[in-house]
Amino acid sequence: MDSFLGTLIFILPGLMLYFWLQYFGVNPVVKHNPAEFTAVSALLWFPVSLTALITFNVCVKFSFLFSDLKPIWNITDLKKASGDFLFLAFFLGSSLIISFLFGVIWAKWFHHSVFMRLINSVRKWRGIAPLSKSPSVWDEVFLNNDAQVIEIGKIDKDEPNFRFIGEIKKVSRTFEPERNILLNDIEYFTGLVQKNNIPVLNIFVDTKTGMYVKIFDPQKIEEAQLNEREDEVISS
């Protein structure tokens, strides 16, 4: 029972913040193993739990709903209070809200503008390349919510049957085991690209599988679509 309560008080708040950060797009370079996952959660526990306890102490002092409870100022008081269901409900509920707010603040304002800027300034000072905005090349290229028309193929297969052109609808997330892409309107965009000779802007190459992804110039794609619509209006 003590182990269960310890998990609720000392691990779960950090776990909440860890998951919020991942859902908001702040991912590590590699997927953590269980030991690393527990260690990170334990580190993230402190700001969430401290804020939740401060909120609890304020409520005890100013709210009649918590008049039967005592404020918590040390670990001994925390262990005693963890046996009260009212405290556990308040602590977990407030931890959920507070971890969400911490996650939003960190992901939106501090991660890139403060933390990454500080890290990259040290890396530049040491004479090495700065880190990118995203933790992987896959995230950097395909997870920016951009409208992208691409061609997918294999480096060792040049036949047309092994090449597909379309607009990205869905793409695998960071830690999915397979790199999968769902394409829209393959026939339409294949004809559009070939008819208008759309230039390739970037090429993503998966050196492990031999797959390549050509990313066509979005501005030229848009211009070609506008020209086709104008031609349809004129012809009609």
Side-chain angles (χ1 to χ4, degrees), residues 67-100:
S67 57
D68 295 337
L69 300 177
K70 296 181 179 180
I72 297 172
W73 300 111
N74 52 57
I75 298 297
T76 303
D77 294 338
L78 180 60
K79 288 182 179 180
K80 291 180 180 178
S82 62
D84 191 304
F85 284 108
L86 178 61
F87 168 77
L88 286 179
F90 178 89
F91 182 81
L92 294 178
S94 60
S95 294
L96 179 64
I97 297 172
I98 291 168
S99 63
F100 176 84

Side-chain angles (χ1 to χ4, degrees), residues 122-205:
V122 175
R123 290 176 67 89
K124 291 178 181 178
W125 175 63
R126 294 189 58 234
I128 58 178
L131 296 175
S132 300
K133 177 182 177 181
S134 302
S136 69
V137 178
W138 181 265
D139 291 35
E140 191 79 15
V141 176
F142 298 114
L143 297 184
N144 291 316
N145 203 29
D146 300 327
Q148 294 174 306
V149 177
I150 64 171
E151 176 186 317
I152 301 177
K154 294 279 287 185
I155 296 174
D156 57 343
K157 297 184 183 295
D158 195 32
E159 295 86 353
N161 292 335
F162 291 95
R163 298 198 305 267
F164 301 94
I165 298 175
E167 182 183 28
I168 292 179
K169 181 179 181 181
K170 298 288 183 181
V171 68
S172 297
R173 291 195 290 181
T174 304
F175 291 127
E176 289 189 38
E178 303 294 337
R179 298 303 194 192
N180 299 315
I181 299 177
L182 177 64
L183 299 180
N184 269 343
D185 302 322
I186 293 176
E187 292 184 3
Y188 169 74
F189 282 108
T190 299
L192 186 74
V193 168
Q194 293 174 350
K195 179 181 177 182
N196 295 277
N197 196 23
I198 304 295
V200 174
L201 197 63
N202 293 298
I203 300 179
F204 171 87
V205 179

Side-chain angles (χ1 to χ4, degrees), residues 92-121:
L92 294 178
S94 60
S95 294
L96 179 64
I97 297 172
I98 291 168
S99 63
F100 176 84
L101 296 176
F102 270 118
V104 170
I105 293 170
W106 180 263
K108 179 63 178 178
W109 291 289
F110 282 90
H111 180 69
H112 295 301
S113 61
V114 178
F115 180 72
M116 291 300 294
R117 186 173 297 176
L118 178 62
I119 293 296
N120 284 333
S121 64

Side-chain angles (χ1 to χ4, degrees), residues 220-236:
K220 298 298 182 181
I221 291 287
E222 186 176 354
E223 291 176 0
Q225 289 177 308
L226 290 175
N227 290 335
E228 283 202 349
R229 290 169 188 165
E230 290 176 358
D231 293 341
E232 289 177 359
V233 171
I234 293 173
S235 61
S236 62

